Amino acid sequence: MTLKHYIRMPLLGLLLMHCFSSWGQTNRDSNRPNIILIYADDLGRGLLSGEGQGIIKTPHIDQLAQEGMRFENAYGSMLCAPARASLITGYHDAHGDRWRITQGGIYKKISTGEMTQDAIETMVNEQIGSIPEEEVFLPQVLREAGYTTGEIGKLEWGFATTDQEMKRHGWDYYYGYLDHERCHGFYPPFLFEDGHLIEIEGNTLVNCGKSIEHETPEAYAERWNMEGKAQYSQNLFLEKILDFIRDNKDQPFFLYHPTQLPHGPVSIPEVAEEYLHDDRLTPIEKEYASMVKMLDDHVGIIMAELKALGIDDNTMVIFTSDNGHEIYYSQEGRILKPVRNMQTGKFFDDVNTKYYSELAGDVFDGNDGMAGVKRSNWEGGVRVPLIARWPGKIKAGASSEALVTNYDFMATMADLVGSALPPNKDGLSYLPELLGKKVEEHDYIVYSSFMGPALVTNEGWKIRYFSKKDLYQLYYLPDDYREENNIIAMNPEKAEELKKPLIEECEGDLDNGLFQNNKSIVTYPSH
C-alpha cells in the first residue's frame, strides 16, 4: 500500500485493517510506555482549533488534548535551534558559555560538488570538538534505560550536525536532514539515514526547493513550478515513522519527530480542498493553512497506526512546538515580514508598541492573542502548546496551570524510566503533574532572545530585559495576558527581586545568551 493510499484511507478503515495485529504480543511493563514526541516547528498555539483557531481545523491534535492533558503555561525558546538544544540537553538557553558554533548550509556543498560528505563531517566534527564524557543527552537517557531510540525529520538540533554527534547523543536510528538551512526547503535532493546519504529520486534542486516568503506573482509561479520537486520531505518522514513504529512495536521505543511543519517558506504539494474557495484567505495563506492541516493529518495517521498495532494504550504521545508563531505568508498591503503595524506602516519598537495579530494583519491570530512572535521575548514568541496523552495514566480532558518548559522534558523522561540525571541540569520533572500528583514546580523559568532574556515566575510575574535600550519591564501575566501594562514603576521592589536571578541565570551577562550575539547555531555544552 502506498503512502498516498494510506493517507486517503479513512482512519476507521485503517483500524479495521489491522484489528488483529496485536495478537501474540508479549506483555510489557505498563509503567514504561513507548514515547513519541512530535515537535512542531513555529506552531503558535493559536493555530490549533482546540485553542480557538477559527479558520484552520486541527481535529487530531485537538483529540490528543481531549484524551490527555493540555498545559496552559508551557514555554519553548524564541527560536528553533536553542529550543532543540534545550530539549536535548536539559539546559536553558540563557547560558553564555556552554555552546559551540557550527556552520549552517554546509551540506549543500555536496550538491554543488564543492565538498564530499566525509570532508564536511570532518570539518563539522572539528568545530564541535570533544563532547565531555560526563555530558548526558535526552536519547542517551532513554537508550540506557532499555529504549530503542529514533529521530526522524528536521535535524535534531543545530545548524549542522554529523553522524558521529548523533550517535554520541544516543540515537539508535535517525533519518532526515543534518543541516538547518536545508530544512527550509521541502524537496531535498538527499537526506541522511544512519550516516548514509540517501538520494531522493526526482528532487534535483540544490536549495531543496526553498521558496520566497513574500507573496508576489513571481513567487507564486516559483512555488508551483514543480520541476525538480518529485518527493515532499514530510511524506518521506511519515513513511519512516510508520516503519519505525512497526519495527519496534514489541519493545519500548522513543521516537522523536521534529517536523518541518508549519515552518516556512510556504510549500505544500497541493492546497487542501477546504481552503481552495475560502474567500478569507489569499493564495499563500491557503497554502500555509494546508501545511498546518498536513501536520494534523499526520498526527492522525500516527495515532491510527498505534491503535491498529494494539500499542495505543501503552504509548505516551507528547505534542508541542519549539517556539511561538511566525509569519511566512506576507503580502503587500495585508501583512509584512518583518512585522509592522499595517495601519501606520511603522515597525513596533518593542517598548511602547509591540506585535499583536490585529495590528499586524495576521488573519490566523497564530499567537493566540498574545504579544510578539518568534525571536521575541514577548509571550507570543515563547509560550507554546503542550499536550500529553497516555490512556489510563493521564486523565482525559485534563488541563494544567503548572509552569513547565522545554528543558524540563529530559528530567520528565528520566523520571518516567527511573534514571538519574547529573545535578547541573536545569529542568524539573513534570511527570507527577501528568499523573495527577503534586509536582515540584520551578520558582521561575528563564529564556533568551534576540531582544534579551526574560524570567517568568510560577506566580505569573515576568521581568523582561530589552538589551537594545538597556531597560527592564515588569508584567503580571494572570491579569495581563497580552502584556499591555508595564507595572515596573509601581513595583520597584518586585523588579529588583527578579532582576537578581535573571542576571545570575545569564551568568552575569545579559547580552551573553545563546543567540544574543546573533550567532549561527548552538551545538552542545562545552564545559
Side-chain angles (χ1 to χ4, degrees), residues 431-453:
L431 180 65
E433 183 77 4
L434 294 174
L435 302 180
K437 302 174 183 177
K438 184 175 177 57
V439 65
E440 178 190 1
E441 284 194 67
H442 290 281
D443 292 330
Y444 57 79
I445 59 100
V446 64
Y447 54 85
S448 186
S449 80
F450 287 134
M451 293 178 179

mmCIF file with all atom_site columns, all heavy atoms in Angstrom, residues 431-453:
data_model
loop_
_atom_site.group_PDB
_atom_site.id
_atom_site.type_symbol
_atom_site.label_atom_id
_atom_site.label_alt_id
_atom_site.label_comp_id
_atom_site.label_asym_id
_atom_site.label_entity_id
_atom_site.label_seq_id
_atom_site.pdbx_PDB_ins_code
_atom_site.Cartn_x
_atom_site.Cartn_y
_atom_site.Cartn_z
_atom_site.occupancy
_atom_site.B_iso_or_equiv
_atom_site.pdbx_formal_charge
_atom_site.auth_seq_id
_atom_site.auth_comp_id
_atom_site.auth_asym_id
_atom_site.auth_atom_id
_atom_site.pdbx_PDB_model_num
ATOM 1   N N   . LEU A 1 431 ? 6.404  14.849 35.401 1.00 0.00 ? 431 LEU A N   1
ATOM 2   C CA  . LEU A 1 431 ? 5.686  13.575 35.371 1.00 0.00 ? 431 LEU A CA  1
ATOM 3   C C   . LEU A 1 431 ? 4.608  13.504 36.450 1.00 0.00 ? 431 LEU A C   1
ATOM 4   O O   . LEU A 1 431 ? 3.487  13.054 36.165 1.00 0.00 ? 431 LEU A O   1
ATOM 5   C CB  . LEU A 1 431 ? 6.658  12.401 35.509 1.00 0.00 ? 431 LEU A CB  1
ATOM 6   C CG  . LEU A 1 431 ? 6.011  11.009 35.502 1.00 0.00 ? 431 LEU A CG  1
ATOM 7   C CD1 . LEU A 1 431 ? 5.363  10.716 34.155 1.00 0.00 ? 431 LEU A CD1 1
ATOM 8   C CD2 . LEU A 1 431 ? 7.055  9.935  35.852 1.00 0.00 ? 431 LEU A CD2 1
ATOM 9   N N   . PRO A 1 432 ? 4.876  13.927 37.712 1.00 0.00 ? 432 PRO A N   1
ATOM 10  C CA  . PRO A 1 432 ? 3.795  13.876 38.713 1.00 0.00 ? 432 PRO A CA  1
ATOM 11  C C   . PRO A 1 432 ? 2.560  14.658 38.269 1.00 0.00 ? 432 PRO A C   1
ATOM 12  O O   . PRO A 1 432 ? 1.432  14.220 38.520 1.00 0.00 ? 432 PRO A O   1
ATOM 13  C CB  . PRO A 1 432 ? 4.448  14.491 39.956 1.00 0.00 ? 432 PRO A CB  1
ATOM 14  C CG  . PRO A 1 432 ? 5.904  14.229 39.793 1.00 0.00 ? 432 PRO A CG  1
ATOM 15  C CD  . PRO A 1 432 ? 6.154  14.372 38.319 1.00 0.00 ? 432 PRO A CD  1
ATOM 16  N N   . GLU A 1 433 ? 2.761  15.788 37.635 1.00 0.00 ? 433 GLU A N   1
ATOM 17  C CA  . GLU A 1 433 ? 1.625  16.580 37.152 1.00 0.00 ? 433 GLU A CA  1
ATOM 18  C C   . GLU A 1 433 ? 0.817  15.785 36.136 1.00 0.00 ? 433 GLU A C   1
ATOM 19  O O   . GLU A 1 433 ? -0.418 15.795 36.150 1.00 0.00 ? 433 GLU A O   1
ATOM 20  C CB  . GLU A 1 433 ? 2.125  17.890 36.535 1.00 0.00 ? 433 GLU A CB  1
ATOM 21  C CG  . GLU A 1 433 ? 1.032  18.821 36.057 1.00 0.00 ? 433 GLU A CG  1
ATOM 22  C CD  . GLU A 1 433 ? 0.345  19.567 37.192 1.00 0.00 ? 433 GLU A CD  1
ATOM 23  O OE1 . GLU A 1 433 ? 0.778  19.420 38.353 1.00 0.00 ? 433 GLU A OE1 1
ATOM 24  O OE2 . GLU A 1 433 ? -0.622 20.311 36.916 1.00 0.00 ? 433 GLU A OE2 1
ATOM 25  N N   . LEU A 1 434 ? 1.510  15.084 35.250 1.00 0.00 ? 434 LEU A N   1
ATOM 26  C CA  . LEU A 1 434 ? 0.823  14.264 34.251 1.00 0.00 ? 434 LEU A CA  1
ATOM 27  C C   . LEU A 1 434 ? -0.012 13.168 34.905 1.00 0.00 ? 434 LEU A C   1
ATOM 28  O O   . LEU A 1 434 ? -1.086 12.815 34.411 1.00 0.00 ? 434 LEU A O   1
ATOM 29  C CB  . LEU A 1 434 ? 1.843  13.634 33.294 1.00 0.00 ? 434 LEU A CB  1
ATOM 30  C CG  . LEU A 1 434 ? 2.626  14.581 32.386 1.00 0.00 ? 434 LEU A CG  1
ATOM 31  C CD1 . LEU A 1 434 ? 3.690  13.813 31.617 1.00 0.00 ? 434 LEU A CD1 1
ATOM 32  C CD2 . LEU A 1 434 ? 1.701  15.325 31.428 1.00 0.00 ? 434 LEU A CD2 1
ATOM 33  N N   . LEU A 1 435 ? 0.477  12.653 36.013 1.00 0.00 ? 435 LEU A N   1
ATOM 34  C CA  . LEU A 1 435 ? -0.186 11.534 36.687 1.00 0.00 ? 435 LEU A CA  1
ATOM 35  C C   . LEU A 1 435 ? -1.150 11.983 37.781 1.00 0.00 ? 435 LEU A C   1
ATOM 36  O O   . LEU A 1 435 ? -1.640 11.164 38.557 1.00 0.00 ? 435 LEU A O   1
ATOM 37  C CB  . LEU A 1 435 ? 0.872  10.592 37.269 1.00 0.00 ? 435 LEU A CB  1
ATOM 38  C CG  . LEU A 1 435 ? 1.864  10.013 36.254 1.00 0.00 ? 435 LEU A CG  1
ATOM 39  C CD1 . LEU A 1 435 ? 2.859  9.087  36.944 1.00 0.00 ? 435 LEU A CD1 1
ATOM 40  C CD2 . LEU A 1 435 ? 1.144  9.275  35.127 1.00 0.00 ? 435 LEU A CD2 1
ATOM 41  N N   . GLY A 1 436 ? -1.399 13.284 37.850 1.00 0.00 ? 436 GLY A N   1
ATOM 42  C CA  . GLY A 1 436 ? -2.379 13.786 38.811 1.00 0.00 ? 436 GLY A CA  1
ATOM 43  C C   . GLY A 1 436 ? -1.862 13.905 40.215 1.00 0.00 ? 436 GLY A C   1
ATOM 44  O O   . GLY A 1 436 ? -2.650 13.931 41.175 1.00 0.00 ? 436 GLY A O   1
ATOM 45  N N   . LYS A 1 437 ? -0.551 14.012 40.385 1.00 0.00 ? 437 LYS A N   1
ATOM 46  C CA  . LYS A 1 437 ? 0.056  14.132 41.710 1.00 0.00 ? 437 LYS A CA  1
ATOM 47  C C   . LYS A 1 437 ? 0.694  15.512 41.860 1.00 0.00 ? 437 LYS A C   1
ATOM 48  O O   . LYS A 1 437 ? 0.799  16.276 40.903 1.00 0.00 ? 437 LYS A O   1
ATOM 49  C CB  . LYS A 1 437 ? 1.100  13.037 41.914 1.00 0.00 ? 437 LYS A CB  1
ATOM 50  C CG  . LYS A 1 437 ? 0.540  11.624 41.754 1.00 0.00 ? 437 LYS A CG  1
ATOM 51  C CD  . LYS A 1 437 ? 1.640  10.585 41.821 1.00 0.00 ? 437 LYS A CD  1
ATOM 52  C CE  . LYS A 1 437 ? 1.087  9.179  41.574 1.00 0.00 ? 437 LYS A CE  1
ATOM 53  N NZ  . LYS A 1 437 ? 2.167  8.162  41.575 1.00 0.00 ? 437 LYS A NZ  1
ATOM 54  N N   . LYS A 1 438 ? 1.137  15.808 43.048 1.00 0.00 ? 438 LYS A N   1
ATOM 55  C CA  . LYS A 1 438 ? 1.760  17.103 43.317 1.00 0.00 ? 438 LYS A CA  1
ATOM 56  C C   . LYS A 1 438 ? 3.108  17.171 42.625 1.00 0.00 ? 438 LYS A C   1
ATOM 57  O O   . LYS A 1 438 ? 3.925  16.256 42.743 1.00 0.00 ? 438 LYS A O   1
ATOM 58  C CB  . LYS A 1 438 ? 1.920  17.323 44.818 1.00 0.00 ? 438 LYS A CB  1
ATOM 59  C CG  . LYS A 1 438 ? 2.472  18.702 45.182 1.00 0.00 ? 438 LYS A CG  1
ATOM 60  C CD  . LYS A 1 438 ? 2.499  18.898 46.690 1.00 0.00 ? 438 LYS A CD  1
ATOM 61  C CE  . LYS A 1 438 ? 3.114  20.229 47.074 1.00 0.00 ? 438 LYS A CE  1
ATOM 62  N NZ  . LYS A 1 438 ? 2.427  21.364 46.466 1.00 0.00 ? 438 LYS A NZ  1
ATOM 63  N N   . VAL A 1 439 ? 3.349  18.253 41.905 1.00 0.00 ? 439 VAL A N   1
ATOM 64  C CA  . VAL A 1 439 ? 4.585  18.408 41.163 1.00 0.00 ? 439 VAL A CA  1
ATOM 65  C C   . VAL A 1 439 ? 5.467  19.460 41.823 1.00 0.00 ? 439 VAL A C   1
ATOM 66  O O   . VAL A 1 439 ? 4.970  20.439 42.401 1.00 0.00 ? 439 VAL A O   1
ATOM 67  C CB  . VAL A 1 439 ? 4.289  18.809 39.697 1.00 0.00 ? 439 VAL A CB  1
ATOM 68  C CG1 . VAL A 1 439 ? 3.638  20.187 39.628 1.00 0.00 ? 439 VAL A CG1 1
ATOM 69  C CG2 . VAL A 1 439 ? 5.556  18.789 38.848 1.00 0.00 ? 439 VAL A CG2 1
ATOM 70  N N   . GLU A 1 440 ? 6.768  19.253 41.769 1.00 0.00 ? 440 GLU A N   1
ATOM 71  C CA  . GLU A 1 440 ? 7.728  20.266 42.220 1.00 0.00 ? 440 GLU A CA  1
ATOM 72  C C   . GLU A 1 440 ? 7.887  21.278 41.095 1.00 0.00 ? 440 GLU A C   1
ATOM 73  O O   . GLU A 1 440 ? 8.518  20.990 40.075 1.00 0.00 ? 440 GLU A O   1
ATOM 74  C CB  . GLU A 1 440 ? 9.077  19.629 42.548 1.00 0.00 ? 440 GLU A CB  1
ATOM 75  C CG  . GLU A 1 440 ? 10.128 20.646 42.978 1.00 0.00 ? 440 GLU A CG  1
ATOM 76  C CD  . GLU A 1 440 ? 11.519 20.049 43.080 1.00 0.00 ? 440 GLU A CD  1
ATOM 77  O OE1 . GLU A 1 440 ? 11.671 18.852 42.802 1.00 0.00 ? 440 GLU A OE1 1
ATOM 78  O OE2 . GLU A 1 440 ? 12.450 20.804 43.418 1.00 0.00 ? 440 GLU A OE2 1
ATOM 79  N N   . GLU A 1 441 ? 7.323  22.459 41.286 1.00 0.00 ? 441 GLU A N   1
ATOM 80  C CA  . GLU A 1 441 ? 7.369  23.463 40.226 1.00 0.00 ? 441 GLU A CA  1
ATOM 81  C C   . GLU A 1 441 ? 8.635  24.304 40.300 1.00 0.00 ? 441 GLU A C   1
ATOM 82  O O   . GLU A 1 441 ? 9.243  24.465 41.361 1.00 0.00 ? 441 GLU A O   1
ATOM 83  C CB  . GLU A 1 441 ? 6.156  24.397 40.320 1.00 0.00 ? 441 GLU A CB  1
ATOM 84  C CG  . GLU A 1 441 ? 4.864  23.801 39.813 1.00 0.00 ? 441 GLU A CG  1
ATOM 85  C CD  . GLU A 1 441 ? 3.805  24.878 39.613 1.00 0.00 ? 441 GLU A CD  1
ATOM 86  O OE1 . GLU A 1 441 ? 3.992  25.726 38.722 1.00 0.00 ? 441 GLU A OE1 1
ATOM 87  O OE2 . GLU A 1 441 ? 2.813  24.853 40.348 1.00 0.00 ? 441 GLU A OE2 1
ATOM 88  N N   . HIS A 1 442 ? 9.001  24.845 39.162 1.00 0.00 ? 442 HIS A N   1
ATOM 89  C CA  . HIS A 1 442 ? 10.049 25.854 39.140 1.00 0.00 ? 442 HIS A CA  1
ATOM 90  C C   . HIS A 1 442 ? 9.609  27.074 39.950 1.00 0.00 ? 442 HIS A C   1
ATOM 91  O O   . HIS A 1 442 ? 8.436  27.454 39.915 1.00 0.00 ? 442 HIS A O   1
ATOM 92  C CB  . HIS A 1 442 ? 10.298 26.326 37.700 1.00 0.00 ? 442 HIS A CB  1
ATOM 93  C CG  . HIS A 1 442 ? 10.953 25.318 36.821 1.00 0.00 ? 442 HIS A CG  1
ATOM 94  N ND1 . HIS A 1 442 ? 12.301 25.063 36.867 1.00 0.00 ? 442 HIS A ND1 1
ATOM 95  C CD2 . HIS A 1 442 ? 10.443 24.525 35.843 1.00 0.00 ? 442 HIS A CD2 1
ATOM 96  C CE1 . HIS A 1 442 ? 12.600 24.148 35.963 1.00 0.00 ? 442 HIS A CE1 1
ATOM 97  N NE2 . HIS A 1 442 ? 11.486 23.807 35.336 1.00 0.00 ? 442 HIS A NE2 1
ATOM 98  N N   . ASP A 1 443 ? 10.539 27.690 40.638 1.00 0.00 ? 443 ASP A N   1
ATOM 99  C CA  . ASP A 1 443 ? 10.267 29.023 41.161 1.00 0.00 ? 443 ASP A CA  1
ATOM 100 C C   . ASP A 1 443 ? 10.128 29.997 40.000 1.00 0.00 ? 443 ASP A C   1
ATOM 101 O O   . ASP A 1 443 ? 9.337  30.940 40.034 1.00 0.00 ? 443 ASP A O   1
ATOM 102 C CB  . ASP A 1 443 ? 11.394 29.484 42.087 1.00 0.00 ? 443 ASP A CB  1
ATOM 103 C CG  . ASP A 1 443 ? 11.454 28.672 43.364 1.00 0.00 ? 443 ASP A CG  1
ATOM 104 O OD1 . ASP A 1 443 ? 10.391 28.185 43.812 1.00 0.00 ? 443 ASP A OD1 1
ATOM 105 O OD2 . ASP A 1 443 ? 12.564 28.519 43.912 1.00 0.00 ? 443 ASP A OD2 1
ATOM 106 N N   . TYR A 1 444 ? 10.918 29.733 38.959 1.00 0.00 ? 444 TYR A N   1
ATOM 107 C CA  . TYR A 1 444 ? 10.869 30.546 37.747 1.00 0.00 ? 444 TYR A CA  1
ATOM 108 C C   . TYR A 1 444 ? 11.500 29.762 36.595 1.00 0.00 ? 444 TYR A C   1
ATOM 109 O O   . TYR A 1 444 ? 12.235 28.784 36.808 1.00 0.00 ? 444 TYR A O   1
ATOM 110 C CB  . TYR A 1 444 ? 11.634 31.868 37.936 1.00 0.00 ? 444 TYR A CB  1
ATOM 111 C CG  . TYR A 1 444 ? 13.084 31.692 38.334 1.00 0.00 ? 444 TYR A CG  1
ATOM 112 C CD1 . TYR A 1 444 ? 14.065 31.367 37.392 1.00 0.00 ? 444 TYR A CD1 1
ATOM 113 C CD2 . TYR A 1 444 ? 13.479 31.803 39.670 1.00 0.00 ? 444 TYR A CD2 1
ATOM 114 C CE1 . TYR A 1 444 ? 15.379 31.188 37.757 1.00 0.00 ? 444 TYR A CE1 1
ATOM 115 C CE2 . TYR A 1 444 ? 14.795 31.629 40.047 1.00 0.00 ? 444 TYR A CE2 1
ATOM 116 C CZ  . TYR A 1 444 ? 15.748 31.318 39.079 1.00 0.00 ? 444 TYR A CZ  1
ATOM 117 O OH  . TYR A 1 444 ? 17.059 31.127 39.441 1.00 0.00 ? 444 TYR A OH  1
ATOM 118 N N   . ILE A 1 445 ? 11.186 30.169 35.387 1.00 0.00 ? 445 ILE A N   1
ATOM 119 C CA  . ILE A 1 445 ? 11.896 29.669 34.200 1.00 0.00 ? 445 ILE A CA  1
ATOM 120 C C   . ILE A 1 445 ? 12.501 30.880 33.503 1.00 0.00 ? 445 ILE A C   1
ATOM 121 O O   . ILE A 1 445 ? 12.069 32.022 33.696 1.00 0.00 ? 445 ILE A O   1
ATOM 122 C CB  . ILE A 1 445 ? 10.977 28.873 33.251 1.00 0.00 ? 445 ILE A CB  1
ATOM 123 C CG1 . ILE A 1 445 ? 9.795  29.711 32.741 1.00 0.00 ? 445 ILE A CG1 1
ATOM 124 C CG2 . ILE A 1 445 ? 10.457 27.627 33.953 1.00 0.00 ? 445 ILE A CG2 1
ATOM 125 C CD1 . ILE A 1 445 ? 9.970  30.261 31.366 1.00 0.00 ? 445 ILE A CD1 1
ATOM 126 N N   . VAL A 1 446 ? 13.531 30.629 32.705 1.00 0.00 ? 446 VAL A N   1
ATOM 127 C CA  . VAL A 1 446 ? 14.240 31.721 32.046 1.00 0.00 ? 446 VAL A CA  1
ATOM 128 C C   . VAL A 1 446 ? 14.519 31.319 30.607 1.00 0.00 ? 446 VAL A C   1
ATOM 129 O O   . VAL A 1 446 ? 14.683 30.137 30.283 1.00 0.00 ? 446 VAL A O   1
ATOM 130 C CB  . VAL A 1 446 ? 15.545 32.052 32.798 1.00 0.00 ? 446 VAL A CB  1
ATOM 131 C CG1 . VAL A 1 446 ? 16.513 30.878 32.760 1.00 0.00 ? 446 VAL A CG1 1
ATOM 132 C CG2 . VAL A 1 446 ? 16.202 33.313 32.249 1.00 0.00 ? 446 VAL A CG2 1
ATOM 133 N N   . TYR A 1 447 ? 14.557 32.300 29.730 1.00 0.00 ? 447 TYR A N   1
ATOM 134 C CA  . TYR A 1 447 ? 14.889 32.041 28.332 1.00 0.00 ? 447 TYR A CA  1
ATOM 135 C C   . TYR A 1 447 ? 15.527 33.286 27.737 1.00 0.00 ? 447 TYR A C   1
ATOM 136 O O   . TYR A 1 447 ? 15.350 34.407 28.227 1.00 0.00 ? 447 TYR A O   1
ATOM 137 C CB  . TYR A 1 447 ? 13.652 31.642 27.527 1.00 0.00 ? 447 TYR A CB  1
ATOM 138 C CG  . TYR A 1 447 ? 12.508 32.621 27.626 1.00 0.00 ? 447 TYR A CG  1
ATOM 139 C CD1 . TYR A 1 447 ? 12.434 33.731 26.805 1.00 0.00 ? 447 TYR A CD1 1
ATOM 140 C CD2 . TYR A 1 447 ? 11.501 32.431 28.581 1.00 0.00 ? 447 TYR A CD2 1
ATOM 141 C CE1 . TYR A 1 447 ? 11.391 34.635 26.917 1.00 0.00 ? 447 TYR A CE1 1
ATOM 142 C CE2 . TYR A 1 447 ? 10.454 33.342 28.694 1.00 0.00 ? 447 TYR A CE2 1
ATOM 143 C CZ  . TYR A 1 447 ? 10.402 34.439 27.856 1.00 0.00 ? 447 TYR A CZ  1
ATOM 144 O OH  . TYR A 1 447 ? 9.376  35.331 27.978 1.00 0.00 ? 447 TYR A OH  1
ATOM 145 N N   . SER A 1 448 ? 16.277 33.088 26.669 1.00 0.00 ? 448 SER A N   1
ATOM 146 C CA  . SER A 1 448 ? 16.944 34.185 25.993 1.00 0.00 ? 448 SER A CA  1
ATOM 147 C C   . SER A 1 448 ? 16.218 34.509 24.689 1.00 0.00 ? 448 SER A C   1
ATOM 148 O O   . SER A 1 448 ? 15.320 33.784 24.254 1.00 0.00 ? 448 SER A O   1
ATOM 149 C CB  . SER A 1 448 ? 18.402 33.819 25.707 1.00 0.00 ? 448 SER A CB  1
ATOM 150 O OG  . SER A 1 448 ? 19.106 34.917 25.180 1.00 0.00 ? 448 SER A OG  1
ATOM 151 N N   . SER A 1 449 ? 16.590 35.625 24.065 1.00 0.00 ? 449 SER A N   1
ATOM 152 C CA  . SER A 1 449 ? 16.026 36.000 22.761 1.00 0.00 ? 449 SER A CA  1
ATOM 153 C C   . SER A 1 449 ? 16.922 37.042 22.131 1.00 0.00 ? 449 SER A C   1
ATOM 154 O O   . SER A 1 449 ? 17.851 37.555 22.760 1.00 0.00 ? 449 SER A O   1
ATOM 155 C CB  . SER A 1 449 ? 14.612 36.555 22.911 1.00 0.00 ? 449 SER A CB  1
ATOM 156 O OG  . SER A 1 449 ? 14.640 37.904 23.332 1.00 0.00 ? 449 SER A OG  1
ATOM 157 N N   . PHE A 1 450 ? 16.645 37.377 20.869 1.00 0.00 ? 450 PHE A N   1
ATOM 158 C CA  . PHE A 1 450 ? 17.397 38.444 20.226 1.00 0.00 ? 450 PHE A CA  1
ATOM 159 C C   . PHE A 1 450 ? 17.189 39.769 20.950 1.00 0.00 ? 450 PHE A C   1
ATOM 160 O O   . PHE A 1 450 ? 18.046 40.647 20.916 1.00 0.00 ? 450 PHE A O   1
ATOM 161 C CB  . PHE A 1 450 ? 16.962 38.593 18.766 1.00 0.00 ? 450 PHE A CB  1
ATOM 162 C CG  . PHE A 1 450 ? 17.445 37.487 17.882 1.00 0.00 ? 450 PHE A CG  1
ATOM 163 C CD1 . PHE A 1 450 ? 16.587 36.884 16.980 1.00 0.00 ? 450 PHE A CD1 1
ATOM 164 C CD2 . PHE A 1 450 ? 18.748 37.054 17.938 1.00 0.00 ? 450 PHE A CD2 1
ATOM 165 C CE1 . PHE A 1 450 ? 17.023 35.867 16.160 1.00 0.00 ? 450 PHE A CE1 1
ATOM 166 C CE2 . PHE A 1 450 ? 19.206 36.037 17.118 1.00 0.00 ? 450 PHE A CE2 1
ATOM 167 C CZ  . PHE A 1 450 ? 18.340 35.441 16.220 1.00 0.00 ? 450 PHE A CZ  1
ATOM 168 N N   . MET A 1 451 ? 16.043 39.951 21.585 1.00 0.00 ? 451 MET A N   1
ATOM 169 C CA  . MET A 1 451 ? 15.764 41.186 22.319 1.00 0.00 ? 451 MET A CA  1
ATOM 170 C C   . MET A 1 451 ? 16.482 41.217 23.657 1.00 0.00 ? 451 MET A C   1
ATOM 171 O O   . MET A 1 451 ? 16.815 42.283 24.168 1.00 0.00 ? 451 MET A O   1
ATOM 172 C CB  . MET A 1 451 ? 14.252 41.314 22.570 1.00 0.00 ? 451 MET A CB  1
ATOM 173 C CG  . MET A 1 451 ? 13.438 41.519 21.322 1.00 0.00 ? 451 MET A CG  1
ATOM 174 S SD  . MET A 1 451 ? 11.677 41.603 21.741 1.00 0.00 ? 451 MET A SD  1
ATOM 175 C CE  . MET A 1 451 ? 10.987 41.873 20.097 1.00 0.00 ? 451 MET A CE  1
ATOM 176 N N   . GLY A 1 452 ? 16.700 40.055 24.241 1.00 0.00 ? 452 GLY A N   1
ATOM 177 C CA  . GLY A 1 452 ? 17.267 39.948 25.570 1.00 0.00 ? 452 GLY A CA  1
ATOM 178 C C   . GLY A 1 452 ? 16.576 38.824 26.314 1.00 0.00 ? 452 GLY A C   1
ATOM 179 O O   . GLY A 1 452 ? 15.622 38.219 25.816 1.00 0.00 ? 452 GLY A O   1
ATOM 180 N N   . PRO A 1 453 ? 17.021 38.507 27.519 1.00 0.00 ? 453 PRO A N   1
ATOM 181 C CA  . PRO A 1 453 ? 16.424 37.410 28.281 1.00 0.00 ? 453 PRO A CA  1
ATOM 182 C C   . PRO A 1 453 ? 15.169 37.859 29.028 1.00 0.00 ? 453 PRO A C   1
ATOM 183 O O   . PRO A 1 453 ? 14.883 39.049 29.156 1.00 0.00 ? 453 PRO A O   1
ATOM 184 C CB  . PRO A 1 453 ? 17.535 37.034 29.261 1.00 0.00 ? 453 PRO A CB  1
ATOM 185 C CG  . PRO A 1 453 ? 18.239 38.338 29.506 1.00 0.00 ? 453 PRO A CG  1
ATOM 186 C CD  . PRO A 1 453 ? 18.194 39.083 28.193 1.00 0.00 ? 453 PRO A CD  1
#
